[in-house]
Amino acid sequence: MSRKIYVASSWRCAEQPRIVALLRDAGHEVYDFRNPVPGNIGFAWSQIDQGWLDWTPERFAELLATHPVAAAGFALDKAALDWCDTCVLVLPCGRSAHLEAGYAAGQGKLTIFYLSPDRFEPELMYLLGSGCVTTDVALLSALIARQGPVKE
């Protein structure tokens, strides 16, 4: 069964491109936030301001709510989250990926956490999802074993 998969991860995660390729090679449709649509290299805060790490909380809140680049990046990712039937969170990753996986789990979508020994930290709330895997074989098997959303 082919799945529509949202891969939630981080720009800093070296494994993310490999997991996207693995899932596509297995016949799944995969949303890649690094290349969300042809000609688009994905959203980065540096597209708004190279000094984004120096923003105050007030400046961040203002730009998050008003900047068209942030709005466009959010629209692409949110549409893909609504489109998918499966979310694979690839660690290590940060807050955005965890929010994406939480959103998918809350929607009752198959949500799998691909754990990595790199910066591993146990997380109790992964129980909200459909399970944890640590290998490519286990990931592909979990996608086959779970024919539909876990929560209905």
Side-chain angles (χ1 to χ4, degrees), residues 38-87:
N40 185 315
I41 59 167
F43 172 79
W45 289 111
S46 59
Q47 295 168 336
I48 294 174
D49 177 2
Q50 290 295 318
W52 66 277
L53 286 172
D54 297 323
W55 289 346
T56 63
E58 294 80 12
R59 181 71 175 147
F60 164 73
E62 173 194 347
L63 291 171
L64 179 66
T66 63
H67 202 283
V69 172
F74 174 78
L76 284 171
D77 289 355
K78 174 70 166 55
L81 277 167
D82 291 336
W83 159 85
C84 76
D85 58 38
T86 303
C87 179

Side-chain angles (χ1 to χ4, degrees), residues 7-14 16-17 33-34 90 92-94 97 119:
V7 174
S9 193
S10 169
W11 283 96
R12 295 179 298 275
C13 181
Q16 187 270 352
F33 69 86
R34 294 181 185 201
V90 180
C93 60
R119 297 187 333 207

